Amino acid sequence: MMTYEQQYDVYLNEIQAALQAACDTYLPEESRVCQAARYSLLAGGKRIRAVLTMACCDMLGGDWRAAAHFAAAVEMLHCFSLIHDDLPCMDNDDFRRGKPSCHKAFDEATALLAGDVLLTEAFEVIANAPLPEHARIEAARLLAVGGGSRGMIWGQELDVTFEGKPLNEELLRKIHRNKTGALINAAVQMGVCAADGTAEDAAALERYAFDLGLVFQIVDDVLDVISTPEELGKPIGSDQENGKVTFATIYGPQGALELAQQINDESCRALEQAYGARAQFLIRLAGQLVTRRK
Amino acid sequence: MMTYEQQYDVYLNEIQAALQAACDTYLPEESRVCQAARYSLLAGGKRIRAVLTMACCDMLGGDWRAAAHFAAAVEMLHCFSLIHDDLPCMDNDDFRRGKPSCHKAFDEATALLAGDVLLTEAFEVIANAPLPEHARIEAARLLAVGGGSRGMIWGQELDVTFEGKPLNEELLRKIHRNKTGALINAAVQMGVCAADGTAEDAAALERYAFDLGLVFQIVDDVLDVISTPEELGKPIGSDQENGKVTFATIYGPQGALELAQQINDESCRALEQAYGARAQFLIRLAGQLVTRRK
């Protein structure tokens, strides 16, 4: 019986191999744009979305090694969104995970195209994944729904639109649900579809996914207030500087953390009722996001 | 028996309906990003790529009405590339088809996301197309290959990299082959796959596609020299201003047109040998691109 940490590493190794294979096949060295895409894609990070794809597939008895290709596609799409988000016309961030952001390490045109290439090739990775045709089609659909006009991009738009403007909690939840939750849900559902899960699986895990996304964002808001730049690998206090309304400003850091804990507890209880001991990994993963300090 | 022009309009109507349906389903009015995407997507144009998808499917006896969804996806991807190409960090073009380009009519962040949304939703259109699963997967693969790191985006990178630098004809052909040819070939091959065509069909039409793409670009180069801004709907002489090496500078406008005519003639002869009278529409379409004046 593996520990949670060992299991996480097993998934992570498989994801890393799938990402490396995707780089070798779809991001040729001779292209500077593809070099920029690799720079951002292989910069590390916790790969939470990809791990969720693997773990959901695994919990439902699917071929989680094959699902690593879906997981890699999710990471590629996530990475595209970070690169474009950091561009001067968007958040204008010079650093990402403690390293210069893509347009700083390369240049703006290259970063723009690097994002475009990661988004495009994510769908090629799905099209060529070693899974049944119906699963590949469903995965492409799920990724587009989560990443597109009624998911992540809609969330990015809302985020930019309401920057510095007064927000209530309902609107804040709507932004998070789209900007973060939708892609996390796509990652989860791609795991479900890789395992040929049922509509009940999809519904149970959809709740888990959106709750997890919300908790992730609440904790993000809190860390921007209580963490240090060294711990976080990026400047802190940026939300306050931008006059942003966040869960930390609405509830205070401590109250926001309590809210996150409460959402997490209820969400994990529901998951355990549905899947029993099989849900342990997903429950531990969600719990880590509440207590993380970076 | 329909004339060429009538047939073109039949295809165009079906494409227009598919694009409108895609807008209604995937680009909600409430989103300004989606409004920007619609602004660019519905701005018109000849829809050559989409018509090629329809015509190739039709020639091979496929369900060309169903192929309109693949055709719409190609146009969406093409439109994304134009929006990002026009951005200040790329070509910095203020006008497109005689109208303000997307980032001028809206703003840079909105145009960036509008491009992203069109690229993402193109794959959702394919995933939901009323065609067999294997055709949808193959179409997604074809679109990613034509639009991605070894196709159009690679061509855009080459184009930016060699801007204002001395070029020989070989390099010029390589840029055109990737920047323009690859997506035209994807459009053609998506028609082939919608019709469940053979490997021989794919090979014969690949030659046609890349030749047509090259002819299109050569004529583009020539029109930039000999046309008027009124005819073209955009400023002329920009290539010369940027010190660009083009087919018009290598061969002179007249010589370049003769080369285009020669490539077209040989290409169409091969197509006629393979498909006889059924190739007439594709041959007429290719011919129009040689003699076009805008």
Side-chain angles (χ1 to χ4, degrees), chain A residues 25-28 30-34 77 80 84-85 87 89-90 108-110 112-117 119-121 123-124 126-128 132-134 136-137 140-141 143-145 147-150 153-154 156-157 160 174, chain B residues 25-28 30-34 77 80 84-85 87 89-90 108-110 112-117 119-121 123-124 126-128 132-134 136-137 140-141 143-145 147-150 153-154 156-157 160 174:
Chain A
T25 311
Y26 305 116
L27 302 174
E30 61 178 327
S31 155
R32 188 173 144 85
V33 165
C34 292
L77 193 126
F80 130 77
H84 280 193
D85 239 6
L87 284 173
C89 71
M90 296 286 292
E108 233 181 290
T110 301
L112 174 72
L113 294 177
D116 292 346
V117 110
L119 174 54
T120 308
E121 298 303 334
F123 287 98
E124 196 174 354
I126 291 176
N128 290 331
E133 282 178 346
H134 69 89
R136 283 181 272 162
I137 293 202
R141 203 187 61 75
L143 191 62
V145 169
S149 59
R150 291 142 303 144
I153 295 180
W154 173 228
Q156 287 175 301
E157 175 180 350
V160 172
K174 183 175 168 186
Chain B
T25 312
Y26 306 115
L27 303 174
E30 60 179 325
S31 155
R32 188 173 143 86
V33 164
C34 292
L77 192 128
F80 130 76
H84 281 191
D85 238 5
L87 284 172
C89 71
M90 296 285 291
E108 233 182 291
T110 302
L112 173 72
L113 294 177
D116 292 346
V117 112
L119 174 53
T120 307
E121 298 303 334
F123 287 98
E124 195 174 354
I126 290 176
N128 290 332
E133 283 178 345
H134 69 88
R136 283 181 272 162
I137 293 205
R141 203 187 62 77
L143 191 62
V145 169
S149 59
R150 292 141 303 143
I153 295 179
W154 172 229
Q156 286 174 300
E157 175 180 349
V160 172
K174 183 177 169 185

Side-chain angles (χ1 to χ4, degrees), chain A residues 149-182:
Chain A
S149 59
R150 291 142 303 144
M152 187 183 68
I153 295 180
W154 173 228
Q156 287 175 301
E157 175 180 350
L158 289 173
D159 199 31
V160 172
T161 306
F162 289 101
E163 207 178 313
K165 291 187 187 143
L167 283 183
N168 56 29
E169 185 178 338
E170 193 191 338
L171 201 45
L172 195 59
R173 280 179 185 252
K174 183 175 168 186
I175 293 174
H176 288 334
R177 188 175 173 86
N178 285 286
K179 194 177 178 190
T180 312

Side-chain angles (χ1 to χ4, degrees), chain A residues 272-285:
Chain A
E272 188 158 34
Q273 270 165 16
Y275 296 101
R278 286 190 294 151
Q280 277 317 307
F281 183 88
L282 290 176
I283 289 171
R284 274 294 298 277
L285 191 153

